[in-house]
């Protein structure tokens, strides 16, 4: 074995040696392993660490590495967990849940080998600022207080950065740092509404919001949208009919449709929510996912009386593992959110917050956002053009204002699940649209992502495969 042999190969070899030994037997020394297998000391150290993590060996400093006691095999019948059905049903009744755990909370199966991804909601790793993230994390780790306890509300410099992004009327004291957008949604729904209460949502909407609302015991109530976003007239009617005190919406770039709320409606929906004595949760997940055209300022920028609760996150424009987001709120609701933070997890890990400060404070971040906008615009155009060639009846009428997706309405003869399954069989993965609706969908839809492929050129091939899959359904006997 050469010096460049992988740690995984050495782990497999050592695992076989461990299996042939008895518990308590001593493994060869690192020096012997290096000489026998021709690897470097770092590879040996990593392999031993992995085996120790698996529980196969135990290390004793100054003595050596020994075979760990064998774990008893699990024999007999499978564990009986049937009692949990009764316990969970009781918990559902207590929390106002009258339906099974939402299917949209489950993760889809990984794409098969060779499949092209038009599914999912994150950037391909080639679009992520990997080098800038690594440098930011390294600088953060060198800070003398990097591992100190962080304030409940978050680091002051990070809160100031998010406050500036919203607008001059927002100060750092109005910002609460969160563990990404999804955790913030869960906290919000539990903090603002009681179990069993209605929450108004756009229809369609982000499935993660539906899952978080239902997990909090809330009842999502759909409010239809059109090409200009949520309809203020129907929103007012929904508030009057349900008595809801909470609206969740995505006014800047809507997921899944990509729609931007029309300028004349932006003030209207805030006024409607205020008149109903309700909170408006503004999910601004795509603030940094524009396609080069200026995006409108957040609704929270002009809100003076605390109607709008603003939510944003760094996971979409940076990396899924940069679990840093922010809530902007004013008044007693902020104190309630901070109290919930103390109950949930005390604070967000300081090294991650420090890394976010480092990332957002460097010119590399602005360069990344400019490059990302150009890349998303190029990919959006490429997929739209390919759909116009391959599936002209399904191509979207107008490009989205930003974001990572296209939203397609299928003809009545097709169902979203059938198309998604056929597409998968043809080597392209898409998101079926049914899970984006809080109630019955008025028509079948697909959500197609253009940011998850390795090469923009793959988008034309993905559209071709999707067309083949669609034709296979329409021409089947």
């Amino acid at each position: 074995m050469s010096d460049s042999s992988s740690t995984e190969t050495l782990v497999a070899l050592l695992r076989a040696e461990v299996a042939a030994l008895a518990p308590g037997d001593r493994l060869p020394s690192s020096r012997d392993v290096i000489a026998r297998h021709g690897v470097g000391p770092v590879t040996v150290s990593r392999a031993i660490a992995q085996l120790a993590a698996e529980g196969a060996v135990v290390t004793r400093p100054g003595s050596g590495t020994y075979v760990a006691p064998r774990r008893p095999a699990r024999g007999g019948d499978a564990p009986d967990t049937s009692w949990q059905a009764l316990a969970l049903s009781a918990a559902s009744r207590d929390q106002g849940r009258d339906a099974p755990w939402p299917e949209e909370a489950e993760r889809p199966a990984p794409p098969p080998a060779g499949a092209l991804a038009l599914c999912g909601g994150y950037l391909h790793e080639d679009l992520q600022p990997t080098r800038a993230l690594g440098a930011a994390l390294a600088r953060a780790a060198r800070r003398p207080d990097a591992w100190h306890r962080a304030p409940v509300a978050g680091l002051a410099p990070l809160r100031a950065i998010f406050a500036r992004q919203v607008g001059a009327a927002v100060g750092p004291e109005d910002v609460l740092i969160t563990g990404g957008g999804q955790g913030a949604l869960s906290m919000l729904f539990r903090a603002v509404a009681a179990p069993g209460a209605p929450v108004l949502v756009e229809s369609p909407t982000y499935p993660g919001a539906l899952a978080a609302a239902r997990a909090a015991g809330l009842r999502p109530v759909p409010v239809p949208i059109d090409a200009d976003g949520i309809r203020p007239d129907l929103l007012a009617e929904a508030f009057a009919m349900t008595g809801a005190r909470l609206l969740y919406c995505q006014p800047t770039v809507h997921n899944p449709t990509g729609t931007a709320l029309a300028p004349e409606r932006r003030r209207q929906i805030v006024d409607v929510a205020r008149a109903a004595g309700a909170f408006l949760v503004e999910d601004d997940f795509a603030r940094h996912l524009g396609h080069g055209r200026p995006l409108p300022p957040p609704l929270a920028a002009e809100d003076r009386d605390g109607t709008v609760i603003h939510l944003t996150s760094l996971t979409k424009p940076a990396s899924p593992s940069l679990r840093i987001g922010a809530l902007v709120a004013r008044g007693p609701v902020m104190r309630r959110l901070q109290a919930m933070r103390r109950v949930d997890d005390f604070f967000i890990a300081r090294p991650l917050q420090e890394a976010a400060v480092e990332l957002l404070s460097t010119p590399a971040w602005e360069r990344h956002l400019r490059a990302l906008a150009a890349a998303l615009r190029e990919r959006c155009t490429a997929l739209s053009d390919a759909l116009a060639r391959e599936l002209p009846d399904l191509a979207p009428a107008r490009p989205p204002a930003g974001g990572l997706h296209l939203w397609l309405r299928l003809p009545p003869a097709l169902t979203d699940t059938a198309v998604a399954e056929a597409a998968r069989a043809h080597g392209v993965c898409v998101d079926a649209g049914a899970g984006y609706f809080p109630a019955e969908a008025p028509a079948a839809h697909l959500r197609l992502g253009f940011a998850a492929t390795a090469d923009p050129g793959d988008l034309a091939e993905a559209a071709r495969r999707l067309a083949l899959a669609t034709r296979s359904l329409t021409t089947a006997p």
Side-chain angles (χ1 to χ4, degrees):
M1 184 183 298
S2 67
D3 288 340
S4 62
S5 299
S6 68
T7 301
E8 289 76 12
T9 301
L10 182 59
V11 167
L13 293 171
L14 293 180
R15 194 180 286 125
E17 292 186 27
V18 168
L21 298 173
D25 285 352
R26 188 176 184 276
L27 268 66
S29 67
S30 296
R31 182 177 300 175
D32 291 339
V33 173
I34 291 170
R36 184 190 309 173
H37 298 292
V39 296
V42 173
T43 300
V44 174
S45 176
R46 290 174 176 170
I48 295 297
Q50 183 171 331
L51 290 174
E54 295 173 1
V57 301
V58 293
T59 58
R60 299 171 186 167
S63 178
T65 303
Y66 297 83
V67 178
R70 309 288 190 207
R71 295 178 179 176
R74 297 182 66 178
D77 297 333
D80 181 7
T81 59
S82 58
W83 63 272
Q84 294 184 4
L86 182 60
L88 291 174
S89 66
S92 295
R93 288 194 303 272
D94 292 343
Q95 298 186 36
R97 303 187 188 113
D98 54 3
W101 195 260
E103 292 182 0
E104 59 265 26
E106 301 176 1
R107 302 308 304 163
L116 298 175
L118 297 184
C119 57
Y122 293 107
L123 301 175
H124 187 272
E125 59 184 17
D126 289 347
L127 296 178
Q128 298 172 20
T130 307
R131 294 181 63 181
L133 282 166
L137 193 59
R139 291 193 301 271
R142 291 195 293 268
R143 295 192 176 197
D145 55 353
W147 292 97
H148 290 184
R149 174 171 176 161
V152 169
L155 298 183
L158 187 56
R159 294 161 65 198
I161 291 173
F162 280 116
R164 287 196 299 271
Q165 289 181 1
V166 176
V170 174
E173 68 280 2
D174 301 320
V175 179
L176 175 67
I177 301 302
T178 67
Q182 191 64 30
L185 274 178
S186 177
M187 179 191 300
L188 263 177
F189 287 144
R190 289 181 289 118
V192 175
V199 52
L200 305 186
V201 299
E202 297 152 315
S203 183
T205 191
Y206 168 50
L210 296 177
R214 289 170 178 152
L218 307 184
R219 294 186 293 108
V221 177
V223 180
I225 67 172
D226 58 22
D228 291 324
I230 194 168
R231 291 179 51 182
D233 57 335
L234 296 181
L235 177 62
E237 185 177 344
F239 273 123
M241 290 177 60
T242 64
R245 293 294 181 265
L246 182 60
L247 164 66
Y248 167 81
C249 66
Q250 304 163 89
T252 302
V253 175
H254 180 259
N255 178 14
T257 68
T259 301
L261 189 63
E264 64 273 12
R265 293 187 181 183
R266 295 172 63 81
R267 186 71 255 169
Q268 285 180 288
I269 67 166
V270 177
D271 291 342
V272 169
R274 182 184 297 112
F279 289 104
L280 187 160
V281 175
E282 176 189 25
D283 189 343
D284 202 23
F285 76 97
R287 174 56 51 184
H288 299 303
L289 299 178
H291 296 175
R293 298 186 301 272
L295 295 176
L299 299 179
E302 300 178 4
D303 174 53
R304 308 293 294 185
D305 56 7
T307 297
V308 178
I309 301 176
H310 178 85
L311 165 62
T312 189
S313 170
L314 297 178
T315 58
K316 297 296 186 182
S319 165
S321 287
L322 187 59
R323 306 303 299 173
I324 291 291
L327 287 171
V328 176
R330 296 183 177 93
V333 68
M334 173 56 83
R335 292 190 289 275
R336 179 174 292 190
L337 290 168
Q338 290 178 351
M340 185 162 285
R341 160 54 37 75
R342 293 184 178 93
V343 171
D344 283 355
D345 51 16
F346 291 112
F347 55 89
I348 302 302
R350 183 163 190 147
L352 206 56
Q353 292 193 60
E354 297 280 11
V357 172
E358 291 284 350
L359 177 68
L360 300 179
S361 301
T362 62
W365 177 245
E366 292 300 326
R367 289 196 299 270
H368 164 67
L369 293 182
R370 289 193 295 271
L372 179 60
L376 293 180
R377 183 172 61 252
E378 174 192 5
R379 287 165 174 257
C380 181
T381 301
L383 183 56
S384 298
D385 291 348
L387 290 172
R389 292 191 303 271
E390 303 287 349
L391 290 164
D393 293 340
L394 302 187
R398 63 184 185 184
L404 311 175
H405 311 102
L406 297 179
W407 182 245
L408 308 184
R409 179 167 178 159
L410 297 174
L414 297 174
T415 66
D416 57 349
T417 53
V419 174
E421 290 173 1
R424 193 178 184 89
H426 282 76
V428 58
C429 295
V430 300
D431 291 318
Y436 296 83
F437 290 90
E440 292 80 8
H445 292 79
L446 296 179
R447 190 186 76 163
L448 307 184
F450 46 78
T453 57
D455 189 330
D458 292 337
L459 296 172
E461 173 62 17
R464 188 188 71 82
R465 296 183 188 182
L466 180 60
L468 290 175
T470 302
R471 286 196 287 270
S472 73
L473 296 174
T474 56
T475 60

